[in-house]
Amino acid sequence: MIRIDFNRLRFLVIDDNAHMRRIVRTLLHGFGAREVYEAEDGAAGLEGFTHYMPDIVITDWSMPIFDGLELTSMIRQPGANANPYVAIIMLTGHSEKKRVLESRDAGVTEFLAKPISAKALYQRILNVVVNPRPFIKTKTFFGPDRRRNHGSSYVGPERRKSDKSETIRVQPLLDKTKSSV
């Protein structure tokens, strides 16, 4: 079994609700994380992202100034910041399929619906640490590969081939988090 040392990860929690930020921070501390930074809106979140250089961003969808989708789009612009490959977990009370697809298409790495549980948050973090997806860069998209399953059973049109996409392998967070036990 893989042991993850959460103490080696840096988190940024962005939510306009102070109670939700405290819940997420408490859960992260319970997992062993020590570097957990907070922001109360999208603008403060972008500033915190630039300043703290987190490994994982956990952001709410609906916030003042700009929302989680707009924040994700700003982070995912290659060349605009130091780490457009950061793992982004969208945390929201709106779990309709339309919103999940919008998040995916904006470049969100994982989606987590409120109310959250410790198990669900842990699973999302574990997934971005242990199973990082490659990034895809096309004329219209930059973000984690939206295809989670790369099976040979797909029979639809291969749209990506004609789009001249670039696949970028990212440095796995697992290397940073391996515990020496």
Side-chain angles (χ1 to χ4, degrees), residues 20-164:
M20 183 53 70
R21 288 195 312 269
R22 184 176 32 176
I23 289 168
V24 173
R25 181 184 66 234
T26 301
L27 290 172
L28 292 172
H29 284 165
F31 299 154
R34 294 296 162 249
E35 287 191 74
V36 180
Y37 303 99
E38 298 179 26
E40 67 279 351
D41 58 49
L46 187 59
E47 186 177 312
F49 173 76
T50 304
H51 184 262
Y52 298 117
M53 300 285 293
D55 299 304
I56 298 175
V57 173
I58 301 171
T59 184
D60 186 27
W61 178 306
S62 183
M63 296 180 293
I65 304 181
F66 46 84
D67 64 28
L69 280 186
E70 293 167 318
L71 174 67
T72 299
S73 296
M74 291 177 200
I75 290 172
R76 290 288 185 239
Q77 292 181 12
N81 63 67
N83 186 11
Y85 305 102
V86 68
I88 301 174
I89 299 173
M90 180 65 73
L91 182 65
T92 180
H94 305 282
S95 60
E96 303 86 10
K97 182 178 180 179
K98 176 184 177 234
R99 294 227 185 197
V100 174
L101 296 176
E102 281 182 76
S103 293
R104 178 202 65 186
D105 293 345
V108 166
T109 314
E110 289 288 333
F111 191 91
L112 182 57
K114 295 176 185 175
I116 67 168
S117 69
K119 180 180 180 181
L121 179 60
Y122 187 87
Q123 286 174 332
R124 298 316 185 284
I125 294 169
L126 193 64
N127 201 34
V128 299
V129 170
V130 176
N131 302 311
R133 289 182 280 156
F135 271 62
I136 303 298
K137 182 178 182 180
T138 69
K139 285 190 288 187
T140 59
F141 176 77
F142 178 78
D145 192 346
R146 296 180 279 198
R147 299 174 184 173
R148 289 185 180 261
N149 302 317
H150 293 279
S152 58
S153 63
Y154 179 70
V155 292
E158 181 58 65
R159 295 183 308 250
R160 194 178 287 164
K161 283 183 181 175
S162 63
D163 203 10
K164 295 187 173 121

